[in-house]
Amino acid sequence: MNRLSSIRQQFTPSRINIYFSILCFFFPPILGSAVSFVFNGGGLWSVLLIALKRRRFNVDRAMMALTIAIYAYCASNVLASIVNHAIVGDARHLVPLITFLLFPISYSTWSISQKTMLVRIIVLASMAACFGALLLAVYQQYQLGIRAEGGAGNAIVFAEVLCLAVVTCVAAALSGIERYRIALICAALGGTIAIVYSGTRIVWLALLIAGVAVLLINQRGLRGKSAVRLLLLLAAIAVPIAAFGFQTIAGRIAFLHSDWVAMAHGDHTTALGARVALWDIGLKAFREMPLFGHGVGATHLLIKQGFQDQFGLDAGFNHFHNGFLTALVQAGLLGALTLAAIFVIAARNAALVLRNSADPIERFGATMIVALVITYLTAGMTGILLGHDILDSVFMVFLVSGTYLACGRQAALMESQTVPSGVEADAVPPAKGQTAPSGVEGLAPPPAAR
C-alpha cells in the first residue's frame, strides 16, 4: 500500500504539470519535434479531462481575447479552402491547426499550477536547454562540420526556439526572481554561442532586439552600481562570443554579400535570390486572390509554377519565407489580419501588465510574451512565422504560460488533490497576496522586498 501510495503521489495533477512543463521548455532545441508530441498530447489529454468533468475551463479576459483571435485565424484558413473548393484536398494541411485550437484547453489545465512553481520550472528548464544546445552545437560545428541545428533538424528553427530560452534566462537574471544569476548568465552565453554556430543571421537580429527589450523592461533595477556591473558583464560576454563565433559571423556576412552581388546580376539560385523571387511570386499570387487566398494546399504548386514561369528555375518550397506573405497567399487579407491580431493582442496584454504591475512574476510572464512576439515577428520576416510543428508548439507553450503568469488566475481542481511533499519548497517567491511556504531556498525575494 505504501508503494502504491508513493506511485500515486508522483502522478497527482500538480506533479504531472511539473513534468509536462519541464519537457515543454527543455525539448525544443534538444529533441525538436518531441515538443510537438508533448504539447499536443497534453492538449488532447486535457480535452478528455474536461469531457470527464475532471477539469473546468479557466476563462479570463486575456485568455478569451487570444482565443477569439486564434480561432478566427484557424477559421480563415478553413474558409479559404472552402472558397477554393479544396477542403478535401487541403484536409491534411489543415490538421496542424489543431495545435492552435488547443490553446484555451491547455491554458485551463496549465493554470492549475502555482505561478511561483511554474516560473522556477520555466527558468531551470530553459537554462538546461541552453547548456544542452551548446553541447550539440559544438559537436555539429566541429565534428560534423555543419551549421548547428540541434535536435530540430533545421538551423533556423533551432536558433529561433533557442533564442527564446536565452532571453528567458536573461529575463530571470535581470528581474531578480532567481538567485543563481551567474549560472543563468553562463547559460545565456552558451545559448548565444550555439545560435551563432547555427549561422541564422535573422535570429541574430531577433536576439539583439529581444535582449534590448528585456534590458528596457528591467531598467529600474539597473542603476548606479548595478548599471556598471551590467556593462562590465556585457563586455565580458562579448569576448567569448567574438572569440568562438568570429569565423562563423564573418563567413555568413560574406555569404550575404556574395548573394547580393549574384542577385544584382539576375541570379536567383542563392539563398537571398530565392527569397526575393519567392516574395515576387507571393505578391503576384496574392493579387490574384486578395480576399480569401488560394488555400493552404496550393502553396507548393504556386511556388513551383512561379519559379518556372518567372525565373526559368525548377525549385520548390512550402512557404514564401515571409510569415505574413504566406498568410496572405493562403488565406488572403482575412488570414493575414487575424494572424496579426494574435500578435497585437498578446503584445497588448504584456504592455498592460508591464505598465500597471510591479509583481515580479506577472512582469516575468509579460516579458516572456514580449520575447515571443519579437522573436517570431523578426524571424518570420525571412522565414516561417507559423506552420512548422516545432515553431507552432513552442509558440503555444510560451503564449499559454506567459499569458497565465502575466494576467491569469490559478484554476481550482475539480477533484481532491494531495500536494507532494517538497514541491512547495521548490517554488519561487510568491506573487503579491500569496504566502510563501516555509523552507523556500535558493531564490531571491521580490525586488520590492529588498
Side-chain angles (χ1 to χ4, degrees), residues 65-118:
L66 280 169
T67 298
I68 292 170
I70 291 170
Y71 275 52
Y73 169 69
C74 295
S76 68
N77 280 274
V78 175
L79 180 60
S81 295
I82 293 174
V83 169
N84 287 279
H85 307 288
I87 188 65
V88 176
D90 288 353
R92 65 186 181 91
H93 298 286
L94 294 171
V95 170
L97 293 176
I98 292 175
T99 299
F100 303 104
L101 296 175
L102 292 173
F103 172 77
I105 298 167
S106 295
Y107 181 92
S108 298
T109 299
W110 222 329
S111 59
I112 68 170
S113 301
Q114 288 187 347
K115 288 187 178 184
T116 51
M117 180 169 55
L118 180 57

Side-chain angles (χ1 to χ4, degrees), residues 40-73:
N40 289 303
L44 294 175
W45 176 250
S46 298
V47 171
L48 179 61
L49 292 177
I50 291 175
L52 295 175
K53 297 184 178 181
R54 299 182 64 186
R55 295 286 186 277
R56 67 177 69 180
F57 275 109
N58 186 17
V59 179
D60 55 55
R61 182 176 298 178
M63 184 275 276
M64 280 303 301
L66 280 169
T67 298
I68 292 170
I70 291 170
Y71 275 52
Y73 169 69

Side-chain angles (χ1 to χ4, degrees), residues 327-338:
L328 283 169
V329 174
Q330 293 180 346
L333 282 170
L334 192 60
L337 289 174
T338 53

